[in-house]
Amino acid sequence: MTMPREKKRVLLIGEQPDIELFAMLRGEGYEVAALESPHRARGVFPLYKPHVIIIFPRYPKETVILDECLAMAGTVPVVAVISLIAKPTLVRAVKEKATAFVVLPAKRQTIRETLQAVALFADEAKFPSGGKKILGTETPGEKRPHLADSL
């Protein structure tokens, strides 16, 4: 008799998490919890034990949210989801600090590949969240990095 495989847990943090992303993750078999701030997440984080944290910074001043999540996450990967029209300072901060990032609107396959890459990398070796970059999505005029490029 085989044990049922544990669902990967995702913690979404942001004032307005993307409802479509929430539904897509649930449809992909992830267990998903959403909270509006890192402050609220601090109490839930040790009990929920997420496999990945996804944040939704919208403005450059919200890089503080990214920093708070990275400090809380320890070895849990932090993926930033940003808008296609995000300010360059926010994009730069996300690229420098987050484990991976996704630019919305994104195809379902792009989100799936990003989370699979993060999970694969996390399973191979625990790493600080602000460490090596895993996978990003294209921003206008930029070539998309691939997992092999970051190893």
Side-chain angles (χ1 to χ4, degrees):
M1 181 174 160
T2 60
M3 295 287 292
R5 191 168 177 192
E6 178 186 26
K7 281 187 173 185
K8 295 283 186 177
R9 290 178 299 284
V10 176
L11 184 57
L12 300 179
I13 300 175
E15 285 183 22
Q16 296 178 339
D18 188 275
I19 301 302
E20 288 181 38
L21 178 61
F22 185 92
M24 191 231 56
L25 292 170
R26 301 279 310 259
E28 293 284 324
Y30 290 94
E31 184 179 314
V32 185
L35 296 164
E36 66 273 4
S37 72
H39 176 73
R40 293 222 185 251
R42 252 186 232 109
V44 173
F45 182 81
L47 302 171
Y48 189 64
K49 298 179 181 163
H51 294 94
V52 66
I53 296 172
I54 299 177
I55 65 166
F56 297 86
R58 294 179 296 151
Y59 307 105
K61 67 180 181 180
E62 291 182 345
T63 58
V64 171
I65 293 171
L66 175 58
D67 293 334
E68 289 178 28
C69 288
L70 289 168
M72 174 183 59
T75 59
V76 175
V78 175
V79 175
V81 176
I82 58 176
S83 166
L84 182 62
I85 58 172
K87 300 284 185 202
T89 52
L90 177 60
V91 174
R92 196 168 32 260
V94 163
K95 285 181 176 180
E96 290 173 6
K97 297 177 181 182
T99 307
F101 68 97
V102 175
V103 177
L104 292 180
K107 294 179 183 170
R108 204 178 177 106
Q109 183 63 28
T110 301
I111 295 168
R112 186 181 300 123
E113 288 172 359
T114 301
L115 292 176
Q116 287 172 348
V118 167
L120 175 68
F121 198 70
D123 287 345
E124 288 179 4
K126 292 292 182 187
F127 58 96
S129 288
K132 284 188 178 182
K133 303 301 170 257
I134 304 298
L135 182 66
T137 61
E138 290 181 44
T139 51
E142 184 176 271
K143 185 181 174 211
R144 181 178 171 180
H146 296 280
L147 180 60
D149 296 340
S150 67
L151 300 177

